[in-house]
Amino acid sequence: MVTMRRIVATATALLLLVLNCRKAEGVQEDPLAREAEEAFVEYLKIDTSNPPGNETAGAKFLQQLLIKDGVEAQLVGSDPNRQSVYARLSSGRSEKALLLLHHIDVVPAVAAEWTMPPFSGARSGGYIWGRGALDVKSLGVAELMAVIDLKRRKVRLKRDVIFLAVADEELGGIKGCKELLEQHPELFENVGFVVNEGGYNETVVDKVTFWGIETSQKVPLWLRLESKGTAGHAASPPDDGGALARLVRAIDGVLRIPMPYRLTPEVQHYFHAAGRMRRDARGEVLRSIAEPLDIKRIESVLSPGYRALLRDTLAVTRISGGSAVNSIPAKASADIDIRLLPGSNPGEMLKLVTRAVGENAELEVLLAGEPGPESTPDTELFRTIARAMTASEPGSTVAPIVQAGTSDSRFFRGRGVIAYGIAPFKVNYYDADSVHATDERIRSRFFAEGVPLVRRIVNDFSAAAPQGK
Ligand SMILES: [Zn+2]
């Protein structure tokens, strides 16, 4: 009897598996799936590595797709090689507009290290491969399809919907979002909401358990240390050891700056929500985290990714100087990437670094991000996104999160616009590691499922009357 029950259970499980596979294949039958995938693959083939960017090729590609469907789209930006593309579907109504944002540029890729060429858009092994597959051309195509869908179905809108694909996000947004906001404020008239990259999700066996919607992020402070000294033969070094020795002392001083742990209310809320879905030791630490922090336990259980949200971080990312083993250079430099928790004071950190460096180096600020406010999750847009996400994966939960990384959302939050970072595509943790690394890729099936999810979010938040999905 027990055996029989087992056999029946196994047969049922197999049947369910087959049905699930059919269902999964059914997802591919989304009317726009094929079109979205073709556009995505073509977009991946365009090399928009930043530096130098060359976003104009990507901008023109997106512009053509919009124009083909009768959506007016214009190229914007002061640099002919660094264009962004902008399109607005007008509602004729005064409700705050929704801006769908993504960046065209990608981080560079070393082709020799990749399994598939990084700008091939190859379809292989159930994946679509390419630099930008996750960060963030997939989101760009999903947003594009959402706009095209509204236009094709002639949906009556209760608010304007704007599509904006920008240049230069990866290196700080100076030639992209920042420039456009400063020089073309008319493009952003009446914008109240931004949907951008920056969220994340956790999956267990291909099912999402937790969707994080990013509502705030750490603040970048990028510094360069430059040491100078007497150049000369290494057989008779100067007393201070020369420029490189001075630089090493400066870096050593900086690395000794204490980075104490502290828990912000936003991070506590996020960790409690994420911890509820986990049955392991990490889940236990997350869902019970509170001040005073149990540092020993946190350091033994939480990965660096989680811990980065509990303190400011500092990393040495580049060192240069010297040309031969037997000569002392006149100059040497190092770049330092500091990320501050919301609420930390960049001026205070700068003082600490200045003191740590002392006379050993000169300090240059490469980028000082301005601390922006959190985007409150208490909005109709947040609830719309959460509803769509949980509907797409029954049993999953949604919560606001803080990101250690930075995105263009900060420019909008600084101007009082609500900006949310979403991750509409399921990503298994082992694939997530390919972001900014080798073999960046997205599961074809997850891409196909994320496209209608974005469409639903945009439709539900912007359509004047209930519309078909
Ligand atoms: Zn990105």
Side-chain angles (χ1 to χ4, degrees):
M1 191 66 194
V2 172
T3 316
M4 193 58 199
R5 219 181 263 162
R6 266 202 199 136
I7 291 168
V8 171
T10 310
T12 311
L14 280 173
L15 183 66
L16 279 174
L17 197 68
V18 170
L19 287 174
N20 278 337
C21 287
R22 291 234 177 91
K23 210 172 121 213
E25 279 163 16
V27 175
Q28 294 275 9
E29 285 158 22
D30 166 34
L32 297 183
R34 192 170 296 267
E35 200 179 338
E37 188 176 305
E38 290 309 316
F40 181 43
V41 164
E42 290 308 309
Y43 195 18
L44 287 174
K45 287 182 187 170
I46 302 169
D47 183 349
T48 51
S49 299
N50 184 12
N54 286 330
E55 291 91 342
T56 301
K60 281 187 173 162
F61 170 72
L62 299 172
Q63 183 191 32
Q64 287 315 308
L65 289 178
L66 288 161
I67 288 174
K68 211 171 70 185
D69 265 284
V71 180
E72 238 178 82
Q74 60 179 119
L75 298 186
V76 281
S78 64
D79 185 334
N81 297 319
R82 313 290 310 266
Q83 296 284 287
S84 299
V85 58
Y86 174 93
R88 182 188 280 249
L89 294 182
S90 193
S91 62
R93 309 275 279 271
S94 61
E95 285 215 37
K96 289 286 183 191
L98 170 67
L99 176 81
L100 304 172
L101 180 68
H102 87 282
H103 59 87
I104 302 169
D105 60 321
V106 296
V107 291
V110 183
E113 295 171 359
W114 283 55
T115 308
M116 299 284 170
F119 297 101
S120 63
R123 283 174 268 209
S124 170
Y127 285 94
I128 301 168
W129 301 65
R131 174 61 84 225
L134 293 170
D135 184 11
V136 75
K137 287 177 171 172
S138 42
L139 176 66
V141 168
E143 291 178 343
L144 180 93
M145 296 315 295
V147 168
I148 286 178
D149 173 61
L150 291 176
K151 179 75 180 176
R152 280 185 192 165
R153 290 189 297 119
K154 300 187 177 69
V155 173
R156 208 155 50 84
L157 297 172
K158 66 178 175 192
R159 65 179 82 249
D160 290 8
V161 176
I162 299 166
F163 176 84
L164 178 62
V166 291
D168 202 28
E169 189 277 338
E170 294 290 359
L171 288 180
I174 313 302
K175 287 274 180 185
C177 258
K178 188 166 189 289
E179 178 187 290
L180 295 178
L181 279 159
E182 284 169 4
Q183 294 182 16
H184 295 280
E186 74 283 358
L187 300 178
F188 303 95
E189 205 189 307
N190 201 33
V191 169
F193 303 93
V194 171
V195 166
N196 188 21
E197 65 175 333
Y200 96 112
N201 56 66
E202 286 184 14
T203 56
V204 175
V205 201
D206 293 355
K207 280 180 119 15
V208 175
T209 55
F210 179 80
W211 303 91
I213 301 175
E214 183 247 10
T215 56
S216 82
Q217 58 190 228
K218 292 179 82 175
V219 179
L221 177 62
W222 294 350
L223 305 175
R224 178 161 295 163
L225 312 179
E226 192 177 71
S227 299
K228 291 183 183 138
T230 315
H233 201 294
S236 53
D239 289 339
D240 67 359
L244 269 167
R246 301 184 70 205
L247 182 69
V248 168
R249 284 196 288 276
I251 294 171
D252 184 54
V254 168
L255 288 173
R256 287 172 193 273
I257 295 172
M259 298 282 166
Y261 285 100
R262 74 186 167 85
L263 184 62
T264 66
E266 292 82 11
V267 170
Q268 184 172 33
H269 183 251
Y270 157 30
F271 280 12
H272 283 185
R276 272 200 294 278
M277 303 305 290
R278 303 184 72 113
R279 295 285 154 261
D280 53 5
R282 184 178 288 180
E284 198 188 311
V285 169
L286 290 173
R287 64 179 172 267
S288 63
I289 200 159
E291 292 277 11
L293 294 169
D294 183 346
I295 307 292
K296 234 175 117 186
R297 183 138 170 79
I298 283 169
E299 292 197 328
S300 70
V301 174
L302 295 188
S303 61
Y306 282 113
R307 276 186 275 131
L309 297 174
L310 294 170
R311 59 174 170 181
D312 303 333
T313 59
L314 183 152
V316 183
T317 48
R318 213 175 62 89
I319 294 181
S320 70
S323 58
V325 69
N326 59 352
S327 79
I328 294 171
K331 271 197 294 196
S333 70
D335 291 353
I336 312 281
D337 181 341
I338 298 173
R339 305 291 173 125
L340 302 165
L341 279 179
S344 290
N345 183 337
E348 281 300 313
M349 179 56 75
L350 208 51
K351 263 193 223 161
L352 288 174
V353 174
T354 307
R355 204 178 307 146
V357 165
E359 298 291 306
N360 287 310
E362 276 163 35
L363 201 61
E364 184 193 347
V365 177
L366 300 177
L367 175 79
E370 288 150 33
E374 185 206 26
S375 285
T376 172
D378 186 17
T379 66
E380 196 46 46
L381 176 57
F382 190 97
R383 287 185 282 275
T384 302
I385 297 171
R387 260 197 309 272
M389 283 177 166
T390 43
S392 80
E393 192 75 90
S396 61
T397 61
V398 182
I401 63 162
V402 183
Q403 273 285 14
T406 177
S407 77
D408 282 336
S409 292
R410 69 185 191 280
F411 296 117
F412 293 93
R413 292 187 184 133
R415 285 167 166 79
V417 173
I418 295 287
Y420 296 134
I422 64 166
F425 305 100
K426 286 183 203 178
V427 182
N428 291 320
Y429 66 93
Y430 44 85
D431 290 334
D433 289 343
S434 67
V435 172
H436 285 219
T438 50
D439 288 346
E440 185 174 345
R441 62 200 183 276
I442 186 170
R443 285 267 290 276
S444 309
R445 183 157 70 82
F446 294 170
F447 175 74
E449 290 173 13
V451 170
L453 174 55
V454 172
R455 212 157 70 228
R456 176 170 176 177
I457 291 167
V458 175
N459 180 84
D460 289 0
F461 189 59
S462 310
Q467 300 281 337
K469 299 297 176 286

